[in-house]
Amino acid sequence: QNDRAIPTRIVLDETVIPKRYARVLLHAIYLDSVDLSLIIRSNGGAGSPLEEAMELYQIGRFLELDILSQGCEDLILEWLTLESLPMVLKWASQPHGSSWVYRQACHYLREEFSAIAVSPILHQLEKSQLIDALQSNFLQASELEILSAVMRWGEQELIRRMEDREPNLLSHTA
């Protein structure tokens, strides 16, 4: 029996985990926190902090490093806004996304529905997301706001479908 600890060598394959995240990973492993300011920035533009947090979440899941995944989930929700809601919902609903972030984003959708109903964000929502929100007893909107939002969403969806079928049909109509 040897009581001495045997050092473990960790080698990160850059084809699996980008080198620019190495400092973030080490920081998370040793200090139990996620600091995106440690991402190595190159001249080529990196993604938004939200996209980086989403990518790091997936890396954390791959490495089974819960502190990294959970820290990224917290950051994603911290940066959740009306404008980022459709992207977060889309990402979180995918198999590689976070079901916890999805549930929180759906809660945000219900809470902010009055504001979403009168913004362009409404038209970026998927039909299933809209249906889920409308079926909730906790939707924060009046019946009139809900009805007008559904009508606007439906009109936009009809226009989108018509444009898909006949691209030039609507370009000359008001």
Side-chain angles (χ1 to χ4, degrees), residues 28-44:
I29 290 169
Y30 288 109
L31 299 176
D32 284 346
S33 67
V34 178
D35 183 355
L36 296 189
S37 69
L38 297 173
I39 294 173
I40 299 166
R41 311 271 180 213
S42 62
N43 294 343

Side-chain angles (χ1 to χ4, degrees), residues 58-109:
Q58 293 164 219
I59 291 169
R61 293 282 308 272
F62 176 75
L63 295 175
E64 297 180 4
L65 189 58
D66 291 340
I67 192 67
L68 180 60
S69 298
Q70 291 166 3
C72 289
E73 286 175 325
D74 292 341
L75 289 173
I76 291 165
L77 291 176
E78 189 177 309
W79 295 322
L80 184 61
T81 62
L82 289 181
E83 292 74 28
S84 67
L85 179 63
M87 180 177 77
V88 170
L89 282 168
K90 183 175 183 174
W91 170 80
S93 67
Q94 295 174 2
H96 61 266
S98 165
S99 57
W100 185 75
V101 168
Y102 184 78
R103 288 192 302 276
Q104 299 305 313
C106 287
H107 177 72
Y108 182 85
L109 169 60

Side-chain angles (χ1 to χ4, degrees), residues 7-171:
T8 303
R9 184 172 183 215
I10 299 173
V11 179
L12 298 178
D13 183 346
E14 194 169 3
T15 60
V16 178
I17 299 165
K19 182 171 58 177
R20 63 196 201 101
Y21 294 134
R23 289 170 51 201
V24 179
L25 289 171
L26 288 172
H27 191 267
I29 290 169
Y30 288 109
L31 299 176
D32 284 346
S33 67
V34 178
D35 183 355
L36 296 189
S37 69
L38 297 173
I39 294 173
I40 299 166
R41 311 271 180 213
S42 62
N43 294 343
S48 72
L50 194 56
E51 292 168 329
E52 291 171 336
M54 290 171 176
E55 189 173 0
L56 273 165
Y57 168 83
Q58 293 164 219
I59 291 169
R61 293 282 308 272
F62 176 75
L63 295 175
E64 297 180 4
L65 189 58
D66 291 340
I67 192 67
L68 180 60
S69 298
Q70 291 166 3
C72 289
E73 286 175 325
D74 292 341
L75 289 173
I76 291 165
L77 291 176
E78 189 177 309
W79 295 322
L80 184 61
T81 62
L82 289 181
E83 292 74 28
S84 67
L85 179 63
M87 180 177 77
V88 170
L89 282 168
K90 183 175 183 174
W91 170 80
S93 67
Q94 295 174 2
H96 61 266
S98 165
S99 57
W100 185 75
V101 168
Y102 184 78
R103 288 192 302 276
Q104 299 305 313
C106 287
H107 177 72
Y108 182 85
L109 169 60
R110 291 188 299 269
E111 288 285 316
E112 300 296 327
F113 193 80
S114 289
I116 292 167
V118 294
S119 78
I121 301 304
L122 175 70
H123 306 301
Q124 297 176 34
L125 295 176
E126 306 271 334
K127 182 179 178 181
S128 60
Q129 296 162 350
L130 191 58
I131 289 171
D132 286 347
L134 296 175
Q135 289 177 338
S136 171
N137 292 331
F138 302 104
L139 187 66
Q140 299 298 310
S142 69
E143 289 180 7
L144 181 59
E145 288 172 318
I146 294 169
L147 180 60
S148 59
V150 169
M151 289 178 63
R152 275 197 307 284
W153 187 91
E155 287 170 355
Q156 186 65 33
E157 186 66 17
L158 178 63
I159 290 169
R160 191 176 319 153
R161 286 183 185 179
M162 288 173 68
E163 286 175 340
D164 287 347
R165 276 186 256 147
E166 293 289 333
N168 298 324
L169 180 67
L170 296 176
S171 60

